[in-house]
Amino acid sequence: MPVELRKRKAPAAPAAPAPPAKKASRATAKANPVKVAAAKVKAAVTGKNTKKPAATAEAKNATNGASNAAPPNDSTGKVKVGGVVALDGFGGEVETHDGEKTTLKTLVDASKNGVVLFTYPKASTPGCTTQACLFRDAYTSLTSTGLSIYGLSTDPPKANTTFKTKQNLPYPLLCDPGATLIGAIGMKKSPKGTIRGVFVVSKEGKVLAAEPGSPAATVEVVKKLVGGDQANGVATDAAGKESDEKNEDVKKAEVAGEVADTAAKLDGDVDGSGAIAKA
């Protein structure tokens, strides 16, 4: 019997390889560069627009946070002249040169018309000695309106006691090693140290002065405040005196009128009805 031969299936033709993506994109770019550039611009613009709401939301939250926060005394956070500070706890606790613990509120309460704090970097140094002695020499006039004067530094009690004794200072010196009160009145130097300056506060906690300055300038600040108070006092006294003089003139006129009426009655024999009696 003859052998039957079977035909083999022809192998499938291999699939044509896909063109590389890079070559295709290059070809596309070469084919239509304007469209490709436009697509890139559109993608960039779309990306920015999607990010913008988030940025706006963050800015809005920041604005709301700022409005809810308590505003500082001024743009730098320092005490502001004309503003009123809450004296309770203000500046923390300090110590006098003789070791007594105290606070600004205690000093203000004990004063007649307010407190002057002049700050100095270091006791017994030339500039600080000049400043302390200027306040010493003008002490009587500076305290004439009821202000109490204190020197303030980060020096320890021993250094300030020596300073006070040697220069014969008539006012107490306050020791603030942690610079809590110095910082509260805006006279703390960053990162460390004390700015020479002067701070004046009234009995009601109103800030009358708060500024840095030279030894002489710090004294002049207080002199101007005291001079203004004295001028106001003189004006008040003058107004009171003028009022008293006017009242005295009125009284004299009234007395003169009564004397004239009495004389007229005696000369004209005025009867009880006020009519002059006939002879």
Side-chain angles (χ1 to χ4, degrees), residues 43-95:
V45 172
T46 304
K48 289 182 179 179
N49 289 338
T50 55
K51 294 178 182 179
K52 191 172 183 179
T56 304
E58 290 177 2
K60 187 175 181 181
N61 291 335
T63 304
N64 291 338
S67 61
N68 293 333
N73 293 320
D74 65 8
S75 59
T76 62
K78 296 181 180 180
V79 289
K80 184 178 180 180
V81 175
V84 178
V85 297
L87 293 173
D88 284 326
F90 183 83
E93 191 176 63
V94 294
E95 189 176 2

Side-chain angles (χ1 to χ4, degrees), residues 1-7:
M1 177 182 276
V3 179
E4 183 179 356
L5 298 177
R6 295 181 182 180
K7 294 182 178 181

Side-chain angles (χ1 to χ4, degrees), residues 180-274:
T180 54
L181 180 54
I182 292 172
I185 63 175
M187 299 299 172
K188 183 178 180 180
K189 187 182 294 184
S190 180
K192 185 180 180 181
T194 302
I195 299 171
R196 191 187 312 283
V198 64
F199 174 81
V200 186
V201 62
S202 71
K203 290 281 286 185
E204 297 74 28
K206 183 178 181 180
V207 180
L208 305 178
E211 59 184 270
S214 65
T218 55
V219 178
E220 286 301 318
V221 169
V222 186
K223 283 184 177 179
K224 288 180 181 179
L225 287 175
V226 172
D229 288 344
Q230 288 177 338
N232 291 335
V234 170
T236 302
D237 292 343
K241 185 177 181 181
E242 183 179 357
S243 178
D244 292 341
E245 289 176 351
K246 287 183 178 180
N247 291 335
E248 188 66 23
D249 290 341
V250 171
K251 289 180 181 179
K252 288 180 179 179
E254 290 175 352
V255 171
E258 291 176 358
V259 171
D261 290 343
T262 302
K265 289 179 181 180
L266 294 175
D267 291 342
D269 192 17
V270 180
D271 60 17
S273 63

